[in-house]
Amino acid sequence: MRKKYLSLLPGLLVLLLFPMGPTAQNSKACALQCPPNSSCVNGTTCRCTPGFISVSGEIFTDPLESCYDINECGPPSPVYCGISADCQNLEGGYYCTCSPGYEPVSGATIFRNESENTCRDVDECSSGQHQCHNSTVCVNTVGSYRCHCRQGWEPKPGLWYKQMNTICKEISFPTWTAPSGIKSQALSHFLNRIQDLGRNFSSASVLNTVGDLVQETGDLLETPGDLKTLPFSEQHFVVPNLLFGLENVLRGVSKALPKGSFTFNSSAGIELSLEVQAPSYRNITLIQKQTKMMLTWDAVRDSGDSGLAVVGLLSTPGMDRFLAEAPLVLDAEELTTLHETHRGLLQETSHILLSDVISAFITNKDTENLRSPVTFVFQHSVTPGPREKVHCVYWEHGQNGSGHWDTRGCWVTRTRDNSTTCQCSHLSIFAVLMAHYSVQEEDSALTVITYMGLSLSLLCLLLAALTFLLCKAIQNTSTSLHLQLSLCLFLAHLLFLTAIDRTESKVLCAIIAGALHYLYLASFTWMLLVGLHLFLSARNLTVVNYSGINRFMKKAMFPVGYGVPAVIVAISAASRPHLYGTSTSCWLHSEKGFKWGFLGPVCAIFSVNLAFFLMTLWILKRKLCSLNSEVSTLQNTRMLTFKATAQLFILGCTWFLGILQVGLAARVMAYLFTIINSLQGVFIFLVYCLLSQQVREQYRKWLKRIRKSKAESEKYTLSSRTMSEGCKHSES
């Protein structure tokens, strides 16, 4: 039997050795050629092991290539382990674990896919796994925890609220610094009482402390003692500092209050409303008897602070007796509008406080530029009259320690007989103030002079234009310039007389203002061209080139005379079209220097004309010194001298007087400006028509023709009557 089995051994050995033939040899050759993390496929091809990949893919033929680990947890197709779990990559594989702050319910700390995920939140606070300081309270969150300060505590300086490393300290009573340089027994007694409250303060007694602060402030305002006898400048320094100090203390101690709404009242009528709440997105509204404040959470929230927020509104009815006489400083834009409304006749203002003086504060001390404006609604019993205007004002500290009421950053959104709604972009001490404006009545004499002078000027300008147009004997470049000047002034004065006060329609008023802007600018541009021509004509006395002057003026005068004003008006209208027309007249608004779109070119033209005038006088002086007694040339030179002087007086000095209407001489300058400017057309007709010999001769010819035509007409009529009577006699 043993021999039988031994006879099978050679065959079994052949079967065992058969697989180790060519394949074994190739495998041995692949082991030398395939890189790590790969296996041989055949004699020329390698395959990366699972979890690895080469540049060419899973299978490659280049023995120099390498197999790299596949990051199953990264892009482009990361493995999803489920909610609250993270994918962890391994060399050649991956696994899933619960995210920090979570633990598996199944107990398996490692799993492969979403279906095996059993992660749930760990309550670090109840399990004792937190690291909160003993001055804080642990509050569990999803996947983590936070360390909150206890009620009446706040984070130590340099540490953030509700962080894992937050360390808190008990809220302390803020320091109240007394205003320096003020001697007042009532104020000293008040500050001593405040110091007593600070020494006895604790977070547990915060409600009593806030109530005592309100009561002490009310007592001081109700019986101010020697505070009322202080000079106004010292009162305007002490009382606002009193409010700002109270505001600072209330902002600090109110942090110890629990969430909710609180109201405190004093026997003197002072009312304090507080709102303490956690971060939210709802609006905050505080309502009192005479005041309401509305603001958004964005305006309250302090960057980096997610603790409780405090919003406070303090009404102080007795404060008006100290601040009513404080000066009022209007915003520059509002002041400009006011002067335009009364057309420069504003003399003085007086004001009274309509509402209680209030102080508004929030947790965030940086309230200079709020993210969104705060809205106040003030109740008052006085109704503004025709020359009275309501202003929303705040208290602005002065450099000398005193202060004043200011309107910057506050504006009226709506006013009624008994209430006013204000909006402000900052927080401070606020009130509603009614200003009474003492306005000088319009000078009826100036109005009569203006209308009579402009009417006479219109007649003279029309006669001058007809003369320049119809008198062929004098038609030349100079006449064309004077004709265009007369037409522009005629249209400008006519529009001024008939439509300057047509303010019923804003669109129509803006169009009228734009037309006046263009016509008066065109008038001044033609004045410039007349001045230039006068200078060139005087220069022609020494340099004979008159034909060249004529050619230059003919080519340039119309594009310059009408084109330059059109460009200026187009730029002004395109940049600020809403500034054409005011509430009282159809002219340019003074806001943002818009009037310089007119005054700038006018001043420039006046300066250039003045230069032309001086150069013309210099040329004429030299010419007069060098001339002989030739009468025609001498007369021509004297006429040019007279016209140069008249040119400056008529076309420049009139508007320059308008700029000089300031100070004590304003009334005199107003009369001079009105008289000379309203008679501008009369002067043009006088200088360029009546004083021109050629024009006077033409007038004589026209008069002779009129008389001759009239005489012939009368002769013809008489002859007709004679013939008619003769026929009647013959018939009889």
Side-chain angles (χ1 to χ4, degrees), residues 174-214:
T175 303
W176 191 325
T177 304
S180 60
I182 304 298
K183 296 181 180 180
S184 169
Q185 292 183 356
L187 181 62
S188 299
H189 177 72
F190 171 78
L191 293 176
N192 290 334
R193 292 287 299 126
I194 298 300
Q195 290 178 1
D196 292 340
L197 291 175
R199 283 190 291 267
N200 300 326
F201 174 74
S202 66
S203 58
S205 63
V206 60
L207 287 173
N208 293 330
T209 302
V210 173
D212 291 340
L213 283 169
V214 173

Side-chain angles (χ1 to χ4, degrees), residues 360-376:
F361 60 91
I362 58 178
T363 307
N364 184 6
K365 292 184 179 180
D366 184 15
T367 59
E368 289 296 323
N369 293 290
L370 299 176
R371 296 183 180 93
S372 56
V374 180
T375 302
F376 299 95

Side-chain angles (χ1 to χ4, degrees), residues 290-302:
Q290 300 294 324
T291 313
K292 182 166 74 171
M293 180 174 72
M294 296 168 286
L295 68 165
T296 62
W297 176 257
D298 285 340
V300 177
R301 183 169 51 87
D302 190 1

